[in-house]
Amino acid sequence: EAGVVQSPRYKIIEKKQPVAFWCNPISGHNTLYWYLQNLGQGPELLIRYENEEAVDDSQLPKDRFSAERLKGVDSTLKIQPAELGDSAVYLCASSHSTGGIHTDTQYFGPGTRLTVL
Amino acid sequence: AQKITQTQPGMFVQEKEAVTLDCTYDTSDPSYGLFWYKQPSSGEMIFLIYQGSYDQQNATEGRYSLNFQKARKSANLVISASQLGDSAMYFCAMIQTGTASKLTFGTGTRLQVTL
């Protein structure tokens, strides 16, 4: 079974430029997560989707970050415009959440390492 | 608010020896889940083991076991018979059952396995 796929793996851009990351979750997983991981830190949740619906985007900086999961499968995370402080690893994860039980294991992709110059 | 603490920024262990990575947590929710993930230099977070707060027995997965002490709010990871490929960052994480569904991570422990 294929794991979570992310692209690109690495991205270098200049500040104020836009950037987009793509994620394809594990087949059949209805819940998709985007995490931000700064150097030397654990990942922090940016947004969580259940199917097409963003059910938790409280940590997403909405002035410059946006995300979508139009058909309830793959997802795109966008930053516009990028700032120097956005340099980090952006991780996508997915899980198969059933009913109201949310301890389903999250499986992660390899991440996109963003460098903003 | 839930919080995960990993007090060991780095650990060394000799090949074939066992090692314990510490994790303590803080939550007021009686229902929660605890996870350990491994992150090698390639960057992917690899799921290792899960322990539910109501599980009576400590979780085990191959060479990984979770020493769950609920009263002390600790969930230490034990790796037996360490291998060179175990060298990586290890993260402890917690999720609260219910609508929150937010996985909170600790700051990680870097494990280095030596010959």
Side-chain angles (χ1 to χ4, degrees):
Chain A
E1 178 181 282
V4 177
V5 179
Q6 288 189 249
S7 67
R9 290 294 314 277
Y10 304 91
K11 188 73 176 180
I12 301 174
I13 60 172
E14 292 189 345
K15 63 180 180 180
K16 300 184 182 180
Q17 294 300 304
V19 64
F21 315 125
W22 177 80
C23 172
N24 189 261
I26 292 172
S27 177
H29 281 192
N30 57 333
T31 305
L32 184 145
Y33 314 77
W34 282 102
Y35 286 86
L36 165 69
Q37 186 176 22
N38 286 307
L39 189 64
Q41 307 271 338
E44 298 177 357
L45 181 69
L46 287 172
I47 189 168
R48 173 170 67 93
Y49 283 92
E50 286 191 9
N51 301 304
E52 301 90 355
E53 183 182 0
V55 296
D56 184 357
D57 62 355
S58 57
Q59 301 302 312
L60 189 72
K62 298 181 183 64
D63 56 336
R64 297 183 301 106
F65 286 67
S66 65
E68 60 184 15
R69 193 186 185 200
L70 293 175
K71 297 182 179 179
V73 180
D74 55 351
S75 174
T76 303
L77 177 69
K78 298 178 182 178
I79 308 174
Q80 183 171 12
E83 297 179 353
L84 295 176
D86 297 332
S87 294
V89 175
Y90 293 82
L91 292 163
C92 179
S94 69
S95 68
H96 179 61
S97 300
T98 56
I101 300 173
H102 292 283
T103 53
D104 304 277
T105 300
Q106 296 179 28
Y107 294 91
F108 285 77
T112 297
R113 183 177 299 276
L114 174 67
T115 302
V116 182
L117 303 175
Chain B
Q2 52 190 15
K3 183 178 178 181
I4 294 285
T5 302
Q6 294 180 255
T7 58
Q8 306 155 313
M11 290 281 287
F12 286 90
V13 64
Q14 276 196 322
E15 194 180 20
K16 301 180 185 177
E17 297 294 312
V19 62
T20 298
L21 306 184
D22 294 342
C23 172
T24 58
Y25 60 91
D26 187 22
T27 180
S28 57
D29 191 335
S31 180
Y32 51 89
L34 295 157
F35 299 80
W36 277 92
Y37 285 85
K38 171 184 178 182
Q39 188 176 41
S41 56
S42 59
E44 183 173 355
M45 298 283 283
I46 301 168
F47 165 70
L48 296 178
I49 196 166
Y50 167 79
Q51 179 87 41
S53 61
Y54 294 120
D55 293 344
Q56 294 298 311
Q57 293 189 330
N58 288 345
T60 60
E61 289 285 350
R63 295 186 298 110
Y64 304 108
S65 61
L66 200 151
N67 184 2
F68 182 47
Q69 297 189 42
K70 195 170 183 177
R72 294 186 175 185
K73 293 188 174 180
S74 73
N76 299 339
L77 176 70
V78 180
I79 304 175
S80 62
S82 296
Q83 302 171 357
L84 294 178
D86 294 335
S87 296
M89 282 290 288
Y90 288 81
F91 288 95
C92 180
M94 178 171 66
I95 196 166
Q96 292 179 184
T97 304
T99 58
S101 191
K102 179 180 174 182
L103 197 59
T104 300
F105 286 83
T107 52
T109 296
R110 180 169 296 281
L111 177 66
Q112 185 67 47
V113 181
T114 61
L115 291 170

